[in-house]
Each structure stands twice: as C-alpha cells, then as structure tokens.
Amino acid sequence: MKKRKKNNAERAQKQQRRKEEGKRKGKGTIAMTNRENEAARIRGYMEKKAYADAINAFADMTAAGTAPEECFGDIARAYFETGDTTRAADWVTTTLTRDPQNVDVRILLGRICLKEKRTQDALKVYDNILASHGNVLTEAQRAAIERYAGLEAR
C-alpha cells in the first residue's frame, strides 16, 4: 500500500511539472510574438519617417520592459533624424556594444561625426567600415558610404 501511494505521488508531481513547463513554453511564444510585433511597430514608424512616434513607442516599451534589442539601431537613427546627435551617439554605442558587426549603425556613426563637423573622424569610420566589412557590404551600404564620405568604395 505504501508503495502505491509513493508511485501516485510521483506521478502527480510529474504531471504538475509538465503543466508548468507547458505554461512556460506558451508564455515564451506569446512573449516572442509580442516582441516581434513591437519591433515591427517601430520599423513601421521608421518607414513612415515618424521618428518622434518611434521614439515615444520605444520609450513606452522600455518602461514596460519589453523593448526589442533589434530596434536599438532604429532608435539611434530616429534620434539622429530629429537632430539629437548626443542621444543618437549614445544609442549607437549601445547598439555596437551588443552587435559590433552592425554596418548600418557604423555608417550612422560616420554621419553623426559629419554633422558634428568632425570630418576626420567620419573618414576614419568609413575607412574602417571598408577595411573591416568591405566584402559583406551591400550595394546600398556602399552607395551610402560614397555619398556621405565622398570616398570611392574599395
């Protein structure tokens, strides 16, 4: 009799653990879906060039603790486009700390340098991009470097 009670108790514990795992898995899926929706929302604002709306939406997401990291570069660009180069530079730093291979954000860093009249720094950034990432640059990225730096993409 005692052995049966022990087996029943073990079985009940296993069922409880499975239920909890299922709940956790379900929540993770919902959280990912929400995070993807939030990233799409930010990108939608960026495509419409509604930079202030993107910044405000991201601030709300940050306050709620659901800010998607893949949008950090977009927020840096939004601050740049609104004229706040200091905050843009902060977000560029944050983005590059998490994703050092992000070429678009590196190009934005060069643009920030140009806007702040630091031409030599901007040229160094663009040269670095061409030297480090030259083989993986898209045509659009090469064109942007040529346009902003006046360099011939090598």
Side-chain angles (χ1 to χ4, degrees):
M1 195 72 151
K2 288 183 181 181
K3 192 172 186 180
R4 236 186 221 166
K5 284 184 180 179
K6 185 177 178 182
N7 287 340
N8 286 341
E10 287 175 0
R11 219 175 294 127
Q13 287 175 347
K14 283 182 184 178
Q15 286 177 341
Q16 185 64 29
R17 274 183 266 163
R18 284 186 197 135
K19 282 182 183 178
E20 289 174 4
E21 285 178 19
K23 286 180 183 177
R24 271 188 259 133
K25 286 181 183 176
K27 285 183 181 177
T29 304
I30 292 170
M32 281 303 288
T33 303
N34 287 342
R35 195 163 288 241
E36 290 168 1
N37 288 341
E38 290 168 345
R41 185 171 148 210
I42 296 292
R43 293 218 167 88
Y45 286 134
M46 295 301 291
E47 288 173 6
K48 294 177 189 172
K49 297 184 180 187
Y51 302 119
D53 292 336
I55 292 168
N56 291 334
F58 190 80
D60 293 341
M61 292 173 199
T62 303
T66 60
E69 286 187 23
E70 61 268 19
C71 291
F72 285 5
D74 293 329
I75 297 305
R77 195 173 121 236
Y79 276 118
F80 176 79
E81 296 294 345
T82 59
D84 191 346
T85 56
T86 304
R87 285 192 180 150
D90 290 342
W91 280 104
V92 164
T93 302
T94 301
T95 304
L96 291 176
T97 299
R98 294 168 194 252
D99 181 14
Q101 302 302 316
N102 193 326
V103 175
D104 291 325
V105 174
R106 288 183 182 277
I107 292 171
L108 179 61
L109 177 61
R111 290 180 67 193
I112 291 170
C113 291
L114 287 173
K115 191 165 189 175
E116 292 178 346
K117 309 257 188 267
R118 295 178 9 216
T119 309
Q120 291 302 315
D121 292 338
L123 292 176
K124 286 178 186 176
V125 168
Y126 291 131
D127 280 338
N128 182 316
I129 293 169
L130 291 171
S132 302
H133 307 285
N135 56 346
V136 295
L137 290 176
T138 65
E139 288 302 317
Q141 290 169 333
R142 283 186 188 279
I145 291 172
E146 284 183 25
R147 184 172 61 244
Y148 297 127
L151 298 173
E152 295 201 11
R154 300 171 206 146

